[in-house]
Amino acid sequence: MVGSDNRLRAVVAVPLPEELCRLIETLEPRVEVVRDQDLLPPMRGPADWTGDPDFVRTPEQQAAFDALVDSADALFGAPDVDAAALARTVRANPRLRWVMTTAAGGGSTVRAAELSRAELDRVVFTTSAGVHGGTLAEFSLFAVLAGAKGLPRLLTDQRSRTWPDRWQMRQLDEMTVLIVGLGGIGAECARRFHALGAQVWGTTRSGEPVEGVDRLVPLDRLVDAVGEVDAIVITLPGTEQTHHLIGEEVLAAVKPGMILTNVGRGTVVDEAALLAALDDGRVAFAGLDVFEREPLDAASPLWDHPNVLVSPHTAALNSNEEERIARRFAENATRLLDGAELRAVVDTVEFY
């Protein structure tokens, strides 16, 4: 049982429109959604969880905000999306039992809070992982098609008003696509690529089948597999284990002309090794929504590379994202109150 009379006092710790606060209460009436919109920075656009940077609380407002989050059984969002504020709240509020981060990669905020093992065991942390699966899967499909259809060449010819001899494009239903990471995003990617006729492979640690995946590839056989595929879609989180997983060894083994897209975390790809592979044609095209360091440095060669599409970590953003995350919170609140397993729980060892 959480809270009194099997109710949950959930404090909104990041900007959330009032209608979505009411939606959570409607979806799960046992949740009391506590919020003070005057203490939260205004959003500048969809899913702007940090809000207007010019917003500054007075000392009195900060004290009121701290008191509010310190009264919670659960938090919608890490306070101000700030690791230090999260750590302060966990330590000041012994009744806190659950925090849902609004980011799919919220495990990084939990890691940065540097909580003790006892604190990590006392509070359940969940993320919005999976909520963005559809939008990121569409970007992945777009990026692979852009490479298959020669988007850079088309744009170059169009800008120079060149009408070349006809040239051949690749067809998706004749391609094998390897999805590196079959979590929520990877599963959505598999479903879309399979529907369009591609042969879909996917890496796995569990060995469990995934709908739309024709072949499961053990992660330790990745180097062997990449030489047989036409495109690689990366959806993995950023952890110590995934850091530079797609590096020199993997990229040396790929089939020449391979297409790559990354919608997971930028640290999974060694950008220096990727640039070398792009330069010598091992990788024909890369559509990247994430990078090792963000914002991408203005001096990065990726900006100007003719066969790279740079997306500023925006492929997940959608006008319905806030509502989907609010619905996820309500669903997990129901699970918590009913004693069921929550969705997208942060692994507090690897923090994903």
Side-chain angles (χ1 to χ4, degrees), residues 84 86-94 96 113-116 119 122:
L86 176 61
R88 189 212 63 79
T89 302
V90 169
R91 288 163 186 155
N93 181 6
L96 184 64
E114 298 183 343
L115 300 170
S116 69
E119 290 163 343
R122 172 169 63 86

Side-chain angles (χ1 to χ4, degrees), residues 328-345:
R328 166 65 66 80
F329 184 84
E331 177 194 355
N332 262 348
T334 298
R335 288 171 176 262
L336 184 69
L337 288 163
D338 291 344
E341 184 178 352
L342 274 63
R343 295 184 61 186
V345 175

Side-chain angles (χ1 to χ4, degrees), residues 196-239:
L196 291 177
Q199 183 82 3
V200 179
W201 295 3
T203 62
T204 178
R205 289 197 295 183
S206 68
E208 293 294 321
V210 175
E211 182 181 357
V213 178
D214 301 292
R215 175 180 166 185
L216 292 172
V217 177
L219 200 54
D220 60 8
R221 300 299 301 275
L222 179 62
V223 174
D224 298 326
V226 296
E228 302 179 58
V229 304
D230 303 290
I232 296 175
V233 176
I234 302 160
T235 70
L236 290 173
T239 68

